[in-house]
Amino acid sequence: MRVLVTGGAGFIGSHVVRALEAHGHEPVVYDVRADPAADVRSPTAVRRALTGADAVCHQAAMVGLGAGFADAADYVSHNDLGTAVLLTAMAEAGVGRLVLAGSMVVYGEGHYACARHGVVRPGPRTVADLDAGRFEPPCPVCGAALSPGLVGEDAPVDPRNVYATTKLTQEHLAAAWARATGGRAVSLRYHNVYGPGMPRDTPYAGVASFFRSALARGESPRVFEDGRQRRDFIHVRDVAAANVAALEAGSRDGALTAYNTGSGEVHTVGEMAGALASAYGGPEPVVTGEYRLGDVRHITADSARLRAELGWKAGVGFEEGMREFALAGMREA
């Protein structure tokens, strides 16, 4: 299969390209890093790149928190306009298979249950609570403590920042394309991806990269809140394998199918910082109590659907992956 990989020179995209090659496919890299003319917002360039393609793996995006609105137009332009241009060109070229790099950020907060009121959906955390160190969202009905759990694909979506909003819009655009063309679309809702090649020292790097960069400077990783935020950290090679599985399996014609793409292991941000520091040889993390207003408290995936329907499962364990990531940082420092 000839597969156009947008963002194919980036962190996740480059691993997808290698995984496709390993499975006998022909990836075509389309990325402004490799060619300044390869802008996904350029109809002419995209149409040219789609020549002979059987499928598209759409990884290109502007990433990061996007908590404010200063760069909202850039997020919408790169992520949503770019996706619309790509899908239009695919419809014109008759390319009917798409795998989209989705994100768990579309859910907002994760799954919560109250002992008295069952499953509830807490609203955004207030500045007053965060300033006072009250990081756990309370039950919106009675104010009691909540128990976090795994979020499934059928959970209501509630994007909490600009980036999250654009990722959900990408899914809506892909679903509309699939209905209009009879195409097959899959959105892989990535959880916290880490691994070799992860961007470093930029505003758009992930938290694992920030921690590793601090260790390389001989500084303690600075852990926000109380470090007990629950996340699902998934290795980039497992994400790449999920993309290959989705491309090979396809999906329902004329529809978009979303799959949570997580390791299935729940760890806290503090645990992740500690694992990196231990593998790196210190210094130990420091819990700061600081916060970012756009962050959610807990978000962890139920990836059972992906395992059941596509036969995929994560192969890199947390300790193994963090150790590899830390040691790679030592070599790069």
Side-chain angles (χ1 to χ4, degrees):
M1 192 165 26
R2 183 179 173 89
V3 183
L4 181 68
V5 184
T6 70
F11 167 44
I12 296 175
S14 61
H15 284 270
V16 171
V17 166
R18 288 192 285 273
L20 286 167
E21 290 173 337
H23 282 76
H25 300 292
E26 181 187 356
V28 178
V29 174
Y30 187 83
D31 196 307
V32 292
R33 300 173 188 85
D35 178 1
D39 191 324
V40 76
R41 296 168 295 178
S42 169
T44 301
V46 171
R47 283 196 294 267
R48 186 182 307 117
L50 282 170
T51 302
D54 302 299
V56 172
C57 189
H58 186 28
Q59 306 293 319
M62 181 176 175
V63 300
L65 181 62
F69 270 83
D71 49 7
D74 285 339
Y75 274 98
V76 172
S77 177
H78 285 87
N79 297 355
D80 298 337
L81 175 60
T83 298
V85 168
L86 173 66
L87 293 171
T88 300
M90 289 176 65
E92 293 172 350
V95 179
R97 184 171 297 190
L98 170 73
V99 174
L100 171 68
S103 175
M104 54 81 180
V105 295
V106 301
Y107 297 116
E109 286 285 355
H111 181 278
Y112 292 89
C114 172
R116 291 179 58 193
H117 298 101
V119 176
V120 295
R121 292 180 55 77
R125 298 178 293 172
T126 67
V127 171
D129 280 344
L130 293 168
D131 282 344
R134 294 188 293 268
F135 301 121
E136 295 289 345
C139 174
V141 181
C142 67
L146 298 174
S147 299
L150 301 180
V151 61
E153 291 91 347
D154 296 327
V157 292
D158 183 18
R160 297 286 178 89
N161 54 59
V162 172
Y163 171 65
T165 301
T166 64
K167 295 306 290 183
L168 181 57
T169 300
Q170 284 185 313
E171 288 194 358
H172 289 323
L173 288 167
W177 165 83
R179 286 192 296 270
T181 65
R184 303 178 180 184
V186 167
S187 177
L188 297 175
R189 291 176 175 171
Y190 301 159
H191 279 247
N192 292 73
V193 186
Y194 73 97
M198 193 174 192
R200 58 189 300 169
D201 302 325
T202 80
Y204 308 110
V207 65
S209 183
F210 286 133
F211 291 165
R212 193 182 69 170
S213 292
L215 290 165
R217 296 191 300 268
E219 301 171 2
S220 294
R222 295 177 60 82
V223 180
F224 280 11
E225 301 186 20
D226 58 4
R228 297 175 183 170
Q229 309 94 301
R230 292 159 53 101
R231 296 291 188 270
D232 186 323
F233 300 100
I234 180 167
H235 197 280
V236 66
R237 287 197 298 271
D238 286 330
V239 167
N243 276 270
V244 175
L247 283 165
E248 292 180 340
S251 63
R252 298 190 304 273
D253 291 351
L256 178 138
T257 305
Y259 293 103
N260 286 333
T261 308
S263 69
E265 296 184 43
V266 175
H267 294 277
T268 68
V269 173
E271 287 175 338
M272 186 265 285
L276 285 177
S278 176
Y280 209 91
E284 289 299 308
V286 173
V287 177
T288 69
E290 299 173 90
Y291 64 85
R292 296 190 304 181
L293 192 58
D295 283 347
V296 297
R297 178 60 174 174
H298 304 297
I299 177 68
T300 51
D302 180 352
S303 299
R305 177 185 291 178
L306 181 58
R307 293 192 297 270
E309 296 187 8
L310 300 189
W312 169 94
K313 65 178 181 179
V316 182
F318 178 78
E319 296 295 338
E320 172 194 356
M322 289 297 166
R323 183 168 54 252
E324 177 200 39
F325 186 54
L327 295 178
M330 294 177 72
R331 291 192 293 270
E332 294 168 8

